[in-house]
Amino acid sequence: LPGGTPTCLDTPNEVATESQKRQLIVELNGTTFGLGQYAFGFLCTVPDIDPIGDASETTWSFIVYDAAGVLQHAAYRIPPQTIAATSVGSPIFSWTASQADKPSLVTFGLTFHQDMSSVRSLVFICPEYVVHDNRLEEDFRVLSSNFPAGGLDLTHPSLIKLFVLEGATIPAGFHRFQFRILVPPVMPEQNLWYLALCDNVACMSTQDAGVMLSFTITGFALGERSTEELDGTTDASFPLPCPRVLTWFAVFFALSHA
């Protein structure tokens, strides 16, 4: 992101109106946006149930003003995801190597605090430029003896889909999934991995209608390592906040010629 560090303007709750409590203003210091794609994220508290009210209270809006206060871009009434009461927490993402143009094993870990039914597929989505290097089903490892795996879709270069047996219940516990990727010569600016739990086998993104729960995970930089190990198989790991308590909301927009 060009320019200085953005400044967040948030009205304190004790003096904020109900509308202001749902509003966040970000000032971009000395920033000039060129043509391209940009994404922003912030932490927010997720309620226990879906909000009730009119569209202004139950949807997202994203508005961009220039330095003179003139409206430049806006998206209104962005529908929110349905709030899912789940007991899945503490995702872990790790890798074994981060050298350009070299293979690496990446591991995703999910903790299920109680049995979970109705899941038909798990979708692992790589960042741009990153491709997986798994041609046979045995190349993908489910590091949990009791996970009800029901096959794989390895036909997409930057996406892997793990099917769950129809009618099966994912048992409580910590389940890990490991596969090989090829580290690109350069990392994308939006270096994000995605993991989605879906109630069908057709899911291809975190925005599909069948997504029950999804996670956005920051990727690693070239040459990045950590002294922390995950069961002696990887050299870096990052636990993320439980999605029912704290989550990232990402805003994405693109600038182009009129």
Side-chain angles (χ1 to χ4, degrees):
L1 183 67
T5 302
T7 300
C8 293
L9 306 178
D10 190 14
T11 306
N13 279 341
E14 58 270 18
V15 297
T17 65
E18 288 302 314
S19 176
Q20 289 174 326
K21 290 178 182 179
R22 303 192 307 271
Q23 183 182 86
L24 177 66
I25 300 174
V26 179
E27 285 189 347
L28 304 177
N29 299 320
T31 300
T32 298
F33 285 109
L35 302 181
Q37 298 177 341
Y38 301 89
F40 304 88
F42 57 87
L43 289 169
C44 59
T45 302
V46 179
D48 292 328
I49 60 174
D50 290 316
I52 299 174
D54 59 32
S56 65
E57 300 172 309
T58 59
T59 58
W60 295 90
S61 295
F62 176 59
I63 307 169
V64 179
Y65 296 97
D66 64 17
V70 178
L71 178 67
Q72 295 294 327
H73 181 91
Y76 297 98
R77 298 193 177 186
I78 304 170
Q81 294 285 346
T82 300
I83 294 175
T86 68
S87 58
V88 182
S90 301
I92 289 177
F93 173 64
S94 60
W95 61 92
T96 59
S98 56
Q99 286 73 39
D101 293 320
K102 299 291 185 180
S104 177
L105 286 175
V106 295
T107 304
F108 290 81
L110 279 178
T111 299
F112 292 79
H113 297 294
Q114 63 185 35
D115 294 351
M116 187 172 182
S117 59
S118 302
V119 179
R120 287 302 320 280
S121 62
L122 276 68
V123 182
F124 304 86
I125 304 173
C126 305
E128 188 180 10
Y129 310 150
V130 177
V131 297
H132 72 79
D133 185 27
N134 306 269
R135 301 174 185 175
L136 304 175
E137 289 199 3
E138 50 264 35
D139 293 336
F140 184 101
R141 300 178 63 195
V142 178
L143 303 175
S144 305
S145 60
N146 60 347
F147 188 88
L152 289 158
D153 180 358
L154 302 173
T155 60
H156 308 280
S158 295
L159 179 150
I160 291 180
K161 193 181 302 184
L162 172 65
F163 300 117
V164 177
L165 291 172
E166 186 172 4
T169 296
I170 299 175
F174 182 57
H175 301 282
R176 289 185 298 153
F177 314 93
Q178 188 177 79
F179 56 91
R180 187 170 59 249
I181 64 163
L182 295 176
V183 180
V186 295
M187 286 296 188
E189 291 185 4
Q190 295 181 32
N191 186 6
L192 301 173
W193 295 77
Y194 301 96
L195 171 58
L197 280 65
C198 303
D199 64 8
N200 61 57
V201 298
C203 272
M204 293 296 292
S205 80
T206 58
Q207 303 301 313
D208 288 355
V211 173
M212 304 169 65
L213 186 64
S214 66
F215 303 94
T216 302
I217 303 170
T218 302
F220 54 85
L222 292 178
E224 182 178 354
R225 294 178 58 87
S226 171
T227 57
E228 185 175 3
E229 293 189 358
L230 180 61
D231 291 342
T233 61
T234 57
D235 66 6
S237 62
F238 288 88
L240 303 177
C242 175
R244 290 195 63 198
V245 179
L246 203 59
T247 189
W248 279 98
F249 175 76
V251 178
F252 168 82
F253 71 101
L255 297 179
S256 61
H257 287 293

